[in-house]
C-alpha cells in the first residue's frame, strides 16, 4: 500500500495541474487516477518540447503491455440495449459517474440519440482490476490492472466500411441479444461481420428482467444459428445491473490481447476523426504495431501528409493526455490537421520516413448516392454554405460541389455513402447548424456513351441533355452484390421485391431450417432510395441486408423530365429504367398534383421522355380568393391576412409562372 | 347586427372613374399628405369622417365575430341602462379626443355601424350627434349613414332618425329566403324585410342600401338569383354584396368548413359573385368596389375615405381610427373600453398617436395598394410614383404583366381608356403624350376582383422586397 499512497499523493497534484491545462474539464478524472494508481513517468516529460504544454501525465500507459489490453466492440440489433450496456460498463469502471451525465454516453450527436443509432465511431478507455484465473496471488494490490478499450461502431449498412475498420481494431465483440426478442436481423449481420473478422464472440443475453424474457430460447437460437455454446452466454440486465459483474471478466478471460509487435515500426489504424474548434482534427486511432510518443512525426499513408503528434492520449472518457500510445492501445492523436478530409477512415499512420506496409482494408470513401441540397429560402445560400463547410469538417465522407438549378437557385451537389448517411447529414445540418434545406431526389452516378464515342458521367439527372444532339449508344449504371438473409417464410415477398427492383439472382441457399441466404446483383439505383425500409417492413424487420459495390452494367436508361406548364423543372428530373418510366412518370405527376396548390392559372403537369409526353395531370385555376367583407375601416386585420399570403408565396419556388411549395420537393423524395 | 358583421366597409363613393381629375388625385393626394405629415408632425391632416360603433343586437348571428352586446329579444326602451351607459361613455370618448386647434374641419361623413344601431333610441343617437357637432362640427350636407336591421324600427322611429339628420340607410336584409334568414340566426324574418323596405322608402330616405350575403349554407343559385332580383325591384340606390366568411369562434365556424357542403363550393361561390356583378350592372348599378354597387352619384362617401387611405375618427367599442398617420383599434371588451375612455380623459392614453405604430413607407405603400385595388378606380400610378418612387411602380408592373395578359389586371390611361398589352411597357416611357400613357391599374370585374387576395399579395411581395430608398428619406 505504501506504493499506492505515494502515487496518489503525487497524482493529486499533477492531476490538478492537468485539469487546469486540459480543455476538456473532467470531474471524474481525480477519482480515476486514484483507481489507476499509476506514476508519472519521467519519460513523458522528456518528450515534451514546449514548456507551456509540459504535462505530467496522470496515466502511465507503459504499465499496460498488450497482455493487459483488451480491445472490443459491442454489436447488437437496434434497441437490444447496446448503449445502455456501454453506459453501465463505463460506470462500473468509474470511467463515468453513475447517475451523472447523459444516458447513451457514447452517442454524442443529437441525431444518434434521437434515432438510437451510431453514426460515428467512438472509443472509450476503461481500467479494471481483475485476477486472471490461474493467478493465485490474492493480495489485492497485486491484482493486475487491465486497460480495456470499448470501440463503439455504427451499425448501418451505409457505414459498413467504417464498421469493418472499427472491428479491425478489435479482437472480440460482445454480441448483445434481447432476451425476449431473440436473434434479429442485425444480430445476424453483425455476427457474420465479427465472425468473418475472426473475432472472439462473447454472447450477452440482455434485458433478462423483462417478464417475457426467455434466455433459454435465445441460447438455443445462438447455438443453432451461430454455433455458439449456450454455456458461454452471459445473462444480464443493463437496466437493473444483474449479471453485469461477469461481463468485463469475460472480456478479459476470453478475448485475446492485441497481437501487434511492440518492436516493429509504428503502424496505427485510423478509426474515425472529428473536428474540434480549438484543437483542430482529432483522430481516433488504434496502435497496431510500435509506439507513438508525443511530438513524434507521423505520416498518413493515403494522403502522404505529415504532421507532428502535438497531443496524444486516451478517451477516458474524454480526451486525457498520456504522452504515449503503445502497441495494442487505442486513443486519440491531435496533429494540427485542419480538415477531417485528410483523415480517412481506415488509413494507416506511421512514423515519417519509416517504411511500413500499409494496413490492409483501406478504401477511399465511395459516394453511392448524390443529391442536390438547396437553401429552403433562396436568400440563405451563404448560411447554408457556411453550415455545410462546418459540418463537412466533421463528416469528410461527404463530397460537395456547387451547382445551380433554375427552380431552386444556387445550391450543392452532395455525394453520400448511402441513404441513411444522407438523411443523417440533412438532420445534422438542421439540428446542429439550423439550416433549412430542400433536397432533390437522390441519384447514383450513371455513364452515358454517345455515338461520337464521348462519355458523360451523370451525377445530376438535370445535366443530362433531354434531346441530345448525338445519339446515345449505351448507358451504364452502378450495381451492387447484395446479400439478404431472411427467415424462409418471407422468401416469396422478398423475391417479388427483388425482381421488381431488377435484381438478378446469383446464389440462394438455406443456412438452416429457418433461414434463407440469397445473393443478388441489383442496380444501385434500385436500393438507394427505400429498398432497405421496404425489405424490413415486408419481413417484419427480420431481413438482414448488406451489399458491396460491384461493376457497372449496361441498362436501358432514360431521362424523365417533369414539366410545369411546359417548362422543365430541372430539380425534378430523374433517370429511370425505360421499362419503369411510364409508371414512375404517372406517379410523379399524380403526387405533384396533390401538393401544388391551385393558382390563378391552370397548371399542366407533364412527365416526358425527350419530347414524348408520357403522363399528364391538370390543376384547375383558382376561382375565387377575395375578402368581400371588411371591418369598419379596420384594415389591419385584412392586411395581416394578405401579408400571411404574401409570406406563403415568398417561401415557394418559382418555375415559369408556377409557384411550387417546398413540400413538393420533399414529397418527391418519398418512395420514388 | 348582421350588418355589423359585414359592416360598413367597403363601399364608398369613390368618384367615378369617368371624371379623371378628381378621384385619382384624391387617392394620392392623401398619401402624399400623410407622408409630409409624418415628416413634420405639426400639421396633421384632419379627419373629416367619423365611424361610431353602436354594438347592441337582439342576439348574435351565427356568422358574427364582431364586438357586439346582445340585449335579448325585447326592444330596448329609452332607459335601458346598458344602452344609455354605453352611449354616455361613447360621448365621453368623443369629448376627450384630442383635436388640433384648426377649427375649419367639420365632419363630412358620419357612419353609425354596429351591432344594430337602429336598436338605439333616437334620443341617444341625437346625443351622440350633438356631441360630434360640438366637438368637430358636422357639415350641413354631411352624409350621415346608419346601419338598420329589419324588425328593429317602424315608420315613427325612421322619421325621428331622419329628423336627427340621418340621411343614408344601410339596410341589413342579407337574404330574401325565410329559411336562410333563420339558418343564419337573424333576429327577423322575410315579412320584416319587406316592411322595412317600404318604411325606408315611405319616409323619404332617398339614399339607401340593401346589404346581401352570398354563399350562405344551403343557398342555391336560384335563391341567390331571387335575392338579387328582389333587391333590384326594391330600387335601392346602393347594394352591398358580402361574401360569407367563416370565422373562428362563431357558430358557423364550428359547424362548417369553407368550400364543403352545405356551403357552396369555390366554383359555385365564384359563380354567385359573377351573377351579382352581371345582374346589378345590367340594372345600371356601378360596381365601384369589390363588394359595393351603386347608382351613379350614390357611392358611399364614408367608405370612400377608407379606400382612399384618408384619415377617419373611430369611436366606441372595438372601433378603428386612422388619425395622424396612425391606425388604432379600441378595446373589444366593454370594461376594457370603459377603462380606455377613463384613461383618455385622464390623459393617460393619447387615443391615437403612438410612435411605434407610425406608418412607415412600406406599410403605407401596402395600404394604398390594398385599398385602391379594391376599387374600380384602381391604383393611381402617377401619385403612387410621386410618393414612393419610380422603381416600385416598375417592379409592380413587371410582376403584374402576366396578369394583364391573363385579363385579371387592366391598365388605363388618364382618360380611363384601357391600354393594350403591347403598349403597356412603352406607354410609361412616353413623357410627352399623356394620351395613351398608363395612369391607372385596376383589377378587372369580375375575374380580377374574384382573385383580389392573390393579386394584392403579389403586390405586397413586390413592396416587401423593395429596397430602393423612396425619395422621402425623412420618413423614419
Amino acid at each position: 500500500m505504501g506504493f499506492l499512497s505515494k502515487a496518489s499523493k503525487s497524482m493529486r497534484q499533477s492531476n490538478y495541474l492537468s485539469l487546469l491545462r486540459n480543455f476538456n474539464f473532467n470531474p471524474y478524472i481525480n477519482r480515476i487516477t486514484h483507481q489507476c494508481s499509476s506514476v508519472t513517468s519521467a519519460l513523458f516529460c522528456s518528450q515534451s518540447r514546449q514548456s507551456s504544454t509540459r504535462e505530467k501525465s496522470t496515466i502511465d500507459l507503459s504499465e499496460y503491455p498488450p497482455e493487459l489490453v483488451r480491445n472490443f466492440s459491442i454489436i447488437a440489433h437496434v434497441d437490444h440495449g447496446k448503449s445502455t450496456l456501454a453506459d453501465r460498463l463505463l460506470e462500473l469502471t468509474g470511467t463515468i459517474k453513475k447517475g451523472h451525465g447523459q444516458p447513451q454516453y457514447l452517442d454524442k450527436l443529437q441525431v444518434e440519440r434521437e434515432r438510437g443509432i451510431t453514426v460515428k465511431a467512438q472509443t472509450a478507455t476503461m481500467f479494471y482490476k481483475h485476477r486472471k484465473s490461474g493467478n493465485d496471488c490474492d493480495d489485492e494490490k497485486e491484482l493486475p490492472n487491465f486497460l480495456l478499450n470499448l470501440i463503439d461502431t455504427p451499425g448501418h449498412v451505409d457505414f459498413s466500411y467504417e464498421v469493418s475498420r472499427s472491428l479491425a481494431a478489435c479482437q472480440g465483440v460482445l454480441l448483445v441479444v434481447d432476451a425476449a426478442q431473440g436473434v434479429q436481423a442485425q444480430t445476424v449481420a453483425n455476427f457474420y461481420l465479427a465472425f468473418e473478422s475472426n473475432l472472439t464472440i462473447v454472447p450477452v443475453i440482455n434485458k433478462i428482467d423483462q417478464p417475457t424474457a426467455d434466455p433459454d430460447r435465445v441460447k438455443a437460437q445462438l447455438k443453432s444459428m451461430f454455433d455458439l455454446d449456450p454455456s458461454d452466454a452471459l445473462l444480464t440486465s443493463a437496466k437493473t445491473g444483474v449479471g453485469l459483474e461477469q461481463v468485463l471478466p469475460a472480456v478479459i478471460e476470453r478475448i485475446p490481447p492485441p497481437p501487434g509487435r511492440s518492436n516493429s515500426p509504428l503502424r496505427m489504424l485510423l478509426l474515425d476523426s472529428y473536428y474540434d474548434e480549438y484543437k483542430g482534427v482529432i483522430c481516433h486511432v488504434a496502435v497496431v504495431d510500435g509506439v507513438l510518443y508525443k511530438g513524434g512525426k507521423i505520416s498518413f499513408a493515403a494522403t502522404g501528409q505529415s504532421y507532428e503528434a502535438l497531443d496524444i492520449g486516451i478517451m477516458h472518457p474524454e480526451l486525457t493526455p498520456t504522452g504515449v500510445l503503445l502497441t495494442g492501445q487505442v486513443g486519440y492523436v491531435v496533429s494540427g490537421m485542419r480538415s477531417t478530409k485528410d483523415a480517412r477512415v481506415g488509413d494507416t499512420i506511421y512514423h515519417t520516413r519509416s517504411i511500413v506496409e500499409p494496413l490492409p482494408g483501406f478504401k477511399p470513401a465511395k459516394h453511392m448516392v448524390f443529391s442536390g441540397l438547396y437553401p429552403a429560402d433562396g436568400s440563405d445560400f451563404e448560411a447554408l454554405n457556411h453550415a455545410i463547410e462546418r459540418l463537412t469538417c466533421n463528416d469528410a465522407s461527404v463530397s460537395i460541389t456547387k451547382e445551380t438549378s433554375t427552380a431552386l437557385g444556387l445550391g450543392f451537389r452532395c455525394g453520400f455513402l448511402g441513404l441513411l448517411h444522407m438523411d443523417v447529414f440533412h438532420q445534422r445540418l438542421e439540428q446542429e447548424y439550423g439550416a433549412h434545406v430542400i433536397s432533390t431526389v437522390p441519384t447514383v452516378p450513371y455513364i452515358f456513351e454517345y455515338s461520337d464515342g464521348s462519355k458523360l458521367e451523370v451525377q445530376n439527372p438535370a445535366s443530362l441533355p433531354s434531346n441530345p444532339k448525338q445519339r446515345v449508344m449505351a448507358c451504364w449504371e452502378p450495381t451492387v452484390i447484395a446479400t439478404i438473409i431472411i427467415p424462409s417464410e418471407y422468401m416469396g415477398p422478398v423475391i417479388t421485391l427483388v425482381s421488381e427492383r431488377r435484381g438478378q439472382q446469383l446464389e440462394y441457399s438455406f443456412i438452416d431450417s429457418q433461414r434463407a441466404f440469397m445473393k443478388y446483383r441489383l442496380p444501385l439505383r434500385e436500393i438507394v432510395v427505400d429498398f432497405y425500409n421496404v425489405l424490413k417492413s415486408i419481413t417484419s424487420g427480420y431481413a438482414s441486408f448488406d451489399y458491396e459495390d460491384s461493376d457497372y452494367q449496361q441498362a436501358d436508361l432514360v431521362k424523365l423530365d417533369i414539366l410545369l406548364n411546359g417548362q422543365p423543372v430541372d430539380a425534378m428530373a430523374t433517370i429511370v429504367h425505360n421499362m419503369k418510366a411510364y409508371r414512375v412518370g404517372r406517379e410523379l405527376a399524380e403526387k405533384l398534383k396533390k401538393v401544388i396548390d391551385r393558382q390563378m392559372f391552370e397548371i399542366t403537369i407533364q412527365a416526358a421522355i425527350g419530347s414524348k409526353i408520357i403522363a399528364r395531370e391538370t390543376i384547375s385555376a383558382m376561382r375565387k380568393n377575395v375578402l368581400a367583407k371588411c371591418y369598419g375601416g379596420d384594415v389591419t386585420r385584412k392586411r395581416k391576412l394578405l401579408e400571411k399570403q404574401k409570406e406563403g408565396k415568398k417561401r415557394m419556388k418559382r418555375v415559369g409562372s408556377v409557384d411550387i411549395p417546398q413540400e413538393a420537393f420533399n414529397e418527391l423524395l418519398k418512395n420514388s | 347586427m348582421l350588418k355589423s358583421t359585414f359592416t360598413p366597409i367597403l363601399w364608398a363613393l369613390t368618384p367615378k372613374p369617368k371624371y379623371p381629375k378628381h378621384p385619382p388625385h384624391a387617392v394620392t393626394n392623401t398619401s402624399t399628405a400623410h407622408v409630409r405629415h409624418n415628416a413634420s408632425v405639426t400639421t396633421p391632416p384632419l379627419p373629416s369622417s367619423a365611424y361610431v360603433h353602436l354594438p347592441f343586437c337582439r342576439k348574435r348571428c351565427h356568422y358574427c365575430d364582431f364586438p357586439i352586446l346582445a340585449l335579448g329579444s325585447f326592444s330596448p326602451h329609452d332607459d335601458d341602462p346598458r344602452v344609455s351607459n354605453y352611449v354616455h361613455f361613447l360621448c365621453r370618448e368623443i369629448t376627450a379626443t384630442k383635436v388640433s386647434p384648426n377649427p375649419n374641419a367639420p365632419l363630412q361623413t358620419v357612419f353609425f355601424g354596429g351591432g344594430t344601431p337602429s336598436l338605439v333610441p333616437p334620443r341617444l343617437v341625437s346625443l351622440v350627434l350633438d356631441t360630434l357637432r360640438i366637438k368637430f362640427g358636422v357639415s350641413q350636407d354631411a352624409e350621415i349613414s346608419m346601419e338598420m336591421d329589419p324588425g328593429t324600427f317602424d315608420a315613427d322611429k325612421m322619421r325621428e332618425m331622419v329628423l336627427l339628420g340621418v340621411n343614408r340607410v344601410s339596410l341589413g336584409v342579407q337574404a330574401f329566403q325565410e329559411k336562410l334568414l333563420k339558418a343564419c340566426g337573424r333576429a327577423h324574418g322575410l315579412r320584416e324585410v319587406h316592411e322595412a323596405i317600404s318604411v325606408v322608402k315611405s319616409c323619404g330616405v332617398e339614399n339607401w342600401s340593401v346589404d346581401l350575403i352570398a354563399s350562405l349554407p344551403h343557398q342555391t343559385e336560384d335563391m341567390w338569383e331571387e335575392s338579387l332580383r328582389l333587391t333590384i325591384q326594391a330600387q335601392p340606390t346602393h347594394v352591398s354584396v358580402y361574401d360569407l366568411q367563416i370565422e373562428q369562434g362563431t357558430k358557423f365556424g364550428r359547424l362548417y368548413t369553407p368550400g364543403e357542403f352545405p356551403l357552396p363550393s369555390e366554383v359555385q361561390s365564384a359563380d354567385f359573385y359573377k351573377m351579382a356583378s352581371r345582374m346589378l350592372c345590367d340594372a345600371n348599378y356601378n360596381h365601384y368596389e369589390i363588394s359595393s354597387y351603386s347608382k351613379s352619384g350614390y357611392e358611399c362617401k364614408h367608405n370612400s375615405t377608407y379606400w382612399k387611405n384618408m384619415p377617419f375618427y373611430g369611436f366606441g367599442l372595438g372601433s378603428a381610427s386612422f388619425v395622424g398617420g396612425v391606425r388604432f383599434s379600441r378595446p373589444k371588451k366593454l370594461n376594457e373600453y370603459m377603462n380606455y375612455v377613463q384613461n383618455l380623459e385622464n390623459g393617460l392614453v393619447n387615443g391615437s398617436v403612438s410612435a411605434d405604430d407610425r406608418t412607415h413607407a412600406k406599410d403605407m405603400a401596402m395600404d394604398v395598394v390594398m385599398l385602391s385595388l379594391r376599387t374600380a378606380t384602381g391604383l393611381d400610378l402617377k401619385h403612387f410614383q410621386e410618393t414612393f418612387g419610380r422603381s416600385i411602380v416598375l417592379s409592380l408592373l413587371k410582376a403584374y404583366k402576366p396578369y394583364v395578359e391573363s385579363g385579371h389586371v387592366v391598365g388605363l390611361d388618364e382618360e380611363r381608356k384601357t391600354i393594350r398589352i403591347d403598349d403597356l411597357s412603352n406607354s410609361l416611357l412616353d413623357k410627352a403624350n399623356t394620351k395613351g400613357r398608363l395612369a391607372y391599374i385596376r383589377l378587372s370585374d369580375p375575374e380580377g376582383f374574384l382573385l383580389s387576395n392573390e393579386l394584392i399579395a403579389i403586390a405586397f411581395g413586390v413592396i416587401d422586397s423593395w429596397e430602393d430608398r423612396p425619395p422621402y428619406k425623412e420618413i423614419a
Side-chain angles (χ1 to χ4, degrees):
Chain A
M1 268 329 267
F3 167 78
L4 278 175
S5 68
K6 202 166 83 190
S8 47
K9 263 181 217 151
S10 72
M11 257 353 42
R12 221 170 263 141
Q13 193 181 21
S14 62
N15 248 339
Y16 180 65
L17 290 174
S18 81
L19 281 181
L20 286 177
R21 280 192 295 270
N22 227 349
F23 181 74
N24 287 298
F25 175 82
N26 187 323
Y28 311 124
I29 207 160
N30 207 24
R31 195 179 144 200
I32 285 153
T33 27
H34 283 280
Q35 271 194 352
C36 306
S37 316
S38 56
V39 197
T40 308
S41 163
L43 178 65
F44 306 140
C45 295
S46 69
Q47 290 293 325
S48 310
R49 306 217 162 164
Q50 297 149 315
S51 59
S52 64
T53 59
R54 190 164 49 91
E55 277 161 23
K56 297 204 169 164
S57 180
T58 57
I59 294 166
D60 181 358
L61 290 185
S62 67
E63 294 181 352
Y64 303 93
E67 325 60 285
L68 293 180
V69 175
R70 297 292 183 272
N71 296 330
F72 69 104
S73 184
I74 306 177
I75 55 180
H77 192 75
V78 173
D79 286 340
H80 280 198
K82 178 177 103 155
S83 299
T84 315
L85 180 63
D87 286 352
R88 291 298 96 83
L89 296 181
L90 292 173
E91 286 167 10
L92 197 75
T93 54
T95 312
I96 61 174
K97 204 168 175 182
K98 189 167 184 177
H100 290 251
Q102 47 191 6
Q104 297 182 47
Y105 187 85
L106 294 175
D107 291 335
K108 305 200 177 194
L109 302 176
Q110 189 183 346
V111 53
E112 295 180 315
R113 310 171 68 79
E114 280 177 8
R115 294 183 174 212
I117 57 173
T118 302
V119 173
K120 285 188 80 68
Q122 292 286 344
T123 70
T125 300
M126 304 175 280
F127 296 94
Y128 187 71
K129 279 188 187 302
H130 177 67
R131 181 185 303 118
K132 239 191 141 181
S133 41
N135 186 342
D136 46 25
C137 168
D138 56 5
D139 182 355
E140 185 158 322
K141 75 181 172 195
E142 295 300 327
L143 279 183
N145 203 6
F146 284 84
L147 184 149
L148 308 177
N149 293 306
L150 169 56
I151 300 169
D152 195 29
T153 72
H156 191 270
V157 58
D158 282 2
F159 306 107
S160 51
Y161 170 69
E162 283 72 9
V163 181
S164 75
R165 295 306 83 208
S166 290
L167 292 184
C170 298
Q171 286 70 48
V173 294
L174 298 176
L175 178 68
V176 177
V177 186
D178 182 304
Q181 291 184 27
V183 170
Q184 295 278 334
Q186 219 175 320
T187 322
V188 180
N190 284 325
F191 169 81
Y192 282 104
L193 273 178
F195 187 72
E196 283 159 18
S197 311
N198 288 318
L199 302 186
T200 302
I201 292 163
V202 179
V204 177
I205 298 174
N206 191 27
K207 303 196 186 183
I208 56 164
D209 58 305
Q210 297 174 100
T212 51
D214 187 355
D216 289 337
R217 189 181 121 250
V218 179
K219 281 183 188 171
Q221 288 179 345
L222 291 173
K223 172 70 185 157
S224 71
M225 295 174 72
F226 309 135
D227 198 27
L228 292 172
D229 189 336
S231 64
D232 285 347
L234 307 177
L235 301 186
T236 64
S237 164
K239 193 170 143 200
T240 64
V242 171
L244 289 180
E245 72 288 346
Q246 328 157 51
V247 175
L248 292 177
V251 165
I252 292 168
E253 301 278 345
R254 300 191 207 169
I255 295 176
R261 292 151 298 180
S262 315
N263 330 333
S264 296
L266 173 72
R267 288 199 299 175
M268 295 195 294
L269 178 64
L270 177 52
L271 299 174
D272 207 341
S273 63
Y274 63 98
Y275 184 79
D276 178 280
E277 272 188 52
Y278 301 94
K279 293 177 188 287
V281 176
I282 297 173
C283 298
H284 290 303
V285 296
V287 181
V288 176
D289 297 319
V291 184
L292 175 68
Y293 293 109
K294 177 172 169 172
K297 289 269 192 285
I298 49 172
S299 295
F300 288 68
T303 62
Q305 300 285 329
S306 298
Y307 302 88
E308 181 183 333
L310 300 174
D311 177 20
I312 61 179
I314 55 173
M315 300 301 292
H316 185 56
E318 298 297 335
L319 302 179
T320 307
T322 57
V324 69
L325 282 174
L326 297 124
T327 306
Q329 296 174 352
V330 173
Y332 70 91
V333 175
V334 176
S335 63
M337 188 186 277
R338 295 252 151 244
S339 164
T340 54
K341 289 187 182 95
D342 296 329
R344 305 204 182 145
V345 172
D347 198 0
T348 303
I349 305 171
Y350 59 97
H351 272 132
T352 308
R353 281 194 289 276
S354 70
I355 295 168
V356 297
E357 177 80 2
L359 297 162
F362 173 75
K363 288 185 213 159
K366 185 154 186 185
H367 300 114
M368 308 282 271
V369 184
F370 290 84
S371 84
L373 278 189
Y374 292 85
D377 175 352
S379 58
D380 283 349
F381 176 78
E382 278 312 318
L384 179 60
N385 190 13
H386 183 66
I388 287 182
E389 267 176 20
R390 299 266 312 271
L391 182 51
T392 48
C393 269
N394 239 326
D395 184 358
S397 50
V398 182
S399 73
I400 308 282
T401 46
K402 284 190 183 158
E403 72 173 14
T404 312
S405 149
T406 50
L408 299 172
L410 276 178
F412 300 90
R413 176 109 321 227
C414 305
F416 302 98
L417 302 173
L419 198 73
L420 177 79
H421 183 215
M422 181 177 85
D423 245 24
V424 165
F425 189 80
H426 289 174
Q427 198 177 337
R428 292 187 66 188
L429 267 182
E430 299 210 348
Q431 287 180 342
E432 296 172 33
Y433 300 94
H436 298 287
V437 298
I438 294 177
S439 168
T440 62
V441 178
T443 184
V444 301
Y446 298 101
I447 295 171
F448 282 75
E449 185 182 341
Y450 293 98
S451 53
D452 64 355
S454 63
K455 282 187 182 173
L456 179 67
E457 184 180 307
V458 180
Q459 294 177 354
N460 176 0
S463 67
L464 181 69
S466 301
N467 295 294
K469 291 184 196 106
Q470 303 277 345
R471 210 155 62 86
V472 172
M473 300 303 286
C475 354
W476 284 273
E477 62 180 342
T479 65
V480 296
I481 304 293
T483 304
I484 300 170
I485 299 171
I486 41 164
S488 37
E489 68 258 39
Y490 297 112
M491 292 261 313
V494 170
I495 288 174
T496 309
L497 171 70
V498 179
S499 46
E500 267 172 18
R501 302 299 176 112
R502 299 190 280 132
Q504 175 195 347
Q505 195 174 75
L506 302 176
E507 223 184 300
Y508 138 36
S509 61
F510 289 92
I511 296 179
D512 57 27
S513 61
Q514 293 138 21
R515 301 226 143 216
F517 168 95
M518 303 193 290
K519 261 196 169 176
Y520 273 83
R521 177 190 294 279
L522 277 162
L524 175 59
R525 189 211 191 266
E526 300 290 341
I527 63 165
V528 116
V529 176
D530 61 343
F531 181 80
Y532 194 36
N533 291 340
V534 175
L535 180 68
K536 275 196 298 191
S537 86
I538 63 173
T539 60
S540 316
Y542 274 93
S544 75
F545 169 64
D546 201 353
Y547 59 79
E548 53 189 295
D549 303 344
S550 186
D551 309 327
Y552 272 69
Q553 74 177 11
Q554 208 165 336
D556 184 9
L557 300 171
V558 292
K559 180 184 181 191
L560 183 65
D561 281 311
I562 297 292
L563 297 90
L564 295 180
N565 282 354
Q567 290 236 31
V569 185
D570 55 2
M572 292 183 180
T574 53
I575 292 169
V576 290
H577 194 269
N578 202 1
M579 209 170 64
K580 293 183 155 190
Y582 282 79
R583 202 187 75 206
V584 172
R586 261 198 316 277
E587 284 171 1
L588 286 179
E590 280 166 18
K591 202 176 263 184
L592 281 173
K593 182 176 180 172
K594 286 190 197 123
V595 293
I596 295 180
D597 291 327
R598 295 220 273 169
Q599 288 166 36
M600 291 180 56
F601 306 92
E602 180 180 274
I603 301 168
T604 327
I605 304 165
Q606 292 166 313
I609 300 170
S611 47
K612 190 170 69 175
I613 305 297
I614 59 166
R616 181 194 163 100
E617 293 283 344
T618 308
I619 300 173
S620 59
M622 176 194 296
R623 295 296 306 278
K624 174 168 166 272
N625 186 358
V626 54
L627 271 189
K629 170 185 175 183
C630 219
Y631 301 86
D634 184 1
V635 303
T636 45
R637 189 161 167 179
K638 203 165 149 45
R639 261 283 292 272
K640 276 183 196 146
L641 194 125
L642 291 170
E643 284 184 22
K644 216 168 129 192
Q645 202 160 333
K646 173 205 76 187
E647 287 305 318
K649 281 186 188 299
K650 216 164 103 181
R651 283 196 302 273
M652 303 248 202
K653 299 294 174 183
R654 179 163 266 248
V655 171
S657 56
V658 182
D659 289 327
I660 311 170
Q662 292 172 15
E663 302 82 69
F665 293 94
N666 296 333
E667 203 51 41
L668 293 185
L669 279 178
K670 293 181 195 154
N671 57 50
S672 53
Chain B
M1 62 124 64
L2 256 198
K3 316 176 145 191
S4 55
T5 344
F6 299 118
T7 289
I9 321 299
L10 324 180
W11 19 107
L13 117 207
T14 321
K16 324 190 84 250
K18 289 147 201 170
Y19 314 106
K21 289 182 193 168
H22 199 186
H25 294 236
V27 173
T28 13
N29 284 344
T30 45
S31 7
T32 321
H34 286 288
V35 172
R36 290 200 191 112
H37 153 53
N38 283 340
S40 57
V41 185
T42 46
T43 58
L46 287 172
S48 59
S49 297
Y51 174 80
V52 180
H53 195 64
L54 297 173
F56 308 101
C57 286
R58 290 257 175 81
K59 58 178 203 151
R60 187 178 280 276
C61 298
H62 297 342
Y63 47 76
C64 173
D65 70 340
F66 244 55
I68 64 141
L69 303 166
L71 294 174
S73 53
F74 64 98
S75 194
H77 38 91
D78 271 18
D79 35 20
D80 185 319
R82 289 175 293 180
V83 179
S84 51
N85 278 348
Y86 173 81
V87 170
H88 282 109
F89 264 92
L90 181 64
C91 291
R92 283 167 61 184
E93 188 199 356
I94 295 170
T95 306
T97 298
K98 288 212 174 62
V99 289
S100 92
N102 182 353
N104 301 324
L107 297 175
Q108 298 298 326
T109 73
V110 175
F111 195 107
F112 290 103
T116 312
S118 50
L119 279 177
V120 175
R123 183 180 64 80
L124 294 174
V125 173
S126 169
L127 194 60
V128 176
L129 277 170
D130 287 345
T131 310
L132 287 172
R133 285 194 179 99
I134 292 164
K135 182 76 184 180
F136 306 104
V138 176
S139 175
Q140 212 41 38
D141 55 353
E143 174 194 273
I144 301 177
S145 306
M146 179 177 280
E147 294 185 333
M148 303 185 78
D149 272 9
T152 62
F153 64 97
D154 55 15
D156 288 345
K157 192 170 191 179
M158 184 71 252
R159 270 191 288 271
E160 279 190 78
M161 295 293 192
V162 171
L163 284 176
L164 295 174
V166 173
N167 54 19
R168 185 175 180 278
V169 169
S170 180
L171 193 61
V173 171
Q174 320 310 358
F176 280 91
Q177 293 76 28
E178 195 72 55
K179 194 175 117 188
L180 293 188
L181 291 173
K182 201 158 187 177
C184 49
R186 295 291 291 172
H188 62 85
L190 190 54
R191 192 167 57 90
E192 286 82 3
V193 167
H194 289 300
E195 280 171 9
I197 290 173
S198 62
V199 166
V200 170
K201 294 175 89 164
S202 70
C203 292
V205 180
E206 182 208 7
N207 188 357
W208 64 290
S209 175
V210 166
D211 296 352
L212 296 176
I213 304 181
S215 301
L216 289 167
H218 300 290
Q219 192 173 36
T220 64
E221 202 169 298
D222 288 347
M223 292 177 188
W224 182 235
E225 202 243 328
E226 180 185 49
S227 288
L228 289 166
R229 191 162 32 84
L230 293 174
T231 299
I232 292 166
Q233 270 173 26
Q235 295 186 295
T237 49
H238 191 282
V239 181
S240 294
V241 178
Y242 304 104
D243 207 58
L244 181 68
Q245 306 282 318
I246 302 297
E247 304 288 354
Q248 277 190 340
T250 63
K251 185 165 182 188
F252 276 8
R254 287 190 297 277
L255 291 176
Y256 306 129
T257 310
E260 288 179 16
F261 185 83
L263 295 177
S265 67
E266 188 188 306
V267 172
Q268 279 175 306
S269 184
D271 287 345
F272 287 178
Y273 187 90
K274 288 187 202 167
M275 186 192 286
S277 175
R278 194 187 64 241
M279 286 178 67
L280 291 167
C281 290
D282 286 352
N284 224 7
Y285 289 88
N286 298 321
H287 193 177
Y288 72 97
E289 190 270 340
I290 280 180
S291 40
S292 312
Y293 299 81
S294 78
K295 295 283 188 184
S296 199
Y298 287 94
E299 295 84 358
C300 176
K301 288 180 193 166
H302 179 83
N303 285 336
S304 78
T305 50
Y306 303 151
W307 312 137
K308 293 192 224 166
N309 204 27
M310 284 163 60
F312 54 89
Y313 293 113
F315 301 111
L317 188 67
S319 67
S321 60
F322 182 38
V323 179
V326 176
R327 297 193 182 273
F328 176 75
S329 291
R330 277 142 202 79
K332 291 188 166 67
K333 286 188 178 155
L334 189 59
N335 51 354
E336 288 172 19
Y337 169 68
M338 295 196 297
N339 282 338
Y340 163 77
V341 172
Q342 271 166 0
N343 289 338
L344 187 69
E345 288 172 331
N346 298 332
L348 297 174
V349 291
N350 202 335
S352 51
V353 184
S354 111
D356 294 350
D357 290 345
R358 177 130 306 170
T359 312
H360 293 269
K362 276 190 185 182
D363 288 338
M364 192 182 309
M366 288 192 190
D367 281 352
V368 169
V369 165
M370 173 178 87
L371 297 168
S372 66
L373 287 182
R374 291 185 66 93
T375 66
T377 306
L379 176 65
D380 181 332
L381 293 173
K382 187 167 156 234
H383 290 282
F384 195 70
Q385 178 172 327
E386 278 167 13
T387 315
F388 301 105
R390 184 173 172 80
S391 69
I392 190 162
V393 172
L394 294 176
S395 312
L396 192 58
L397 289 176
K398 192 176 161 212
Y400 271 165
K401 190 160 180 264
Y403 306 102
V404 174
E405 282 163 14
S406 64
H408 292 98
V409 176
V410 182
L412 303 164
D413 70 7
E414 290 282 353
E415 294 174 359
R416 309 285 310 171
K417 280 217 241 77
T418 303
I419 297 174
R420 295 191 315 139
I421 298 169
D422 305 338
D423 302 337
L424 209 57
S425 27
N426 298 333
S427 74
L428 263 189
L429 303 170
D430 190 353
K431 293 238 168 189
N433 183 11
T434 55
K435 199 176 169 189
R437 187 167 75 191
L438 183 61
Y440 302 92
I441 50 173
R442 62 157 292 182
L443 307 187
S444 62
D445 177 18
E447 299 298 342
F449 278 162
L450 265 171
L451 295 171
S452 53
N453 285 359
E454 282 290 305
L455 291 161
I456 293 170
I458 289 166
F460 276 22
V462 170
I463 295 169
D464 198 46
S465 54
W466 161 48
E467 293 302 340
D468 292 0
R469 280 298 102 205
Y472 47 92
K473 280 194 180 125
E474 60 274 26
I475 295 185

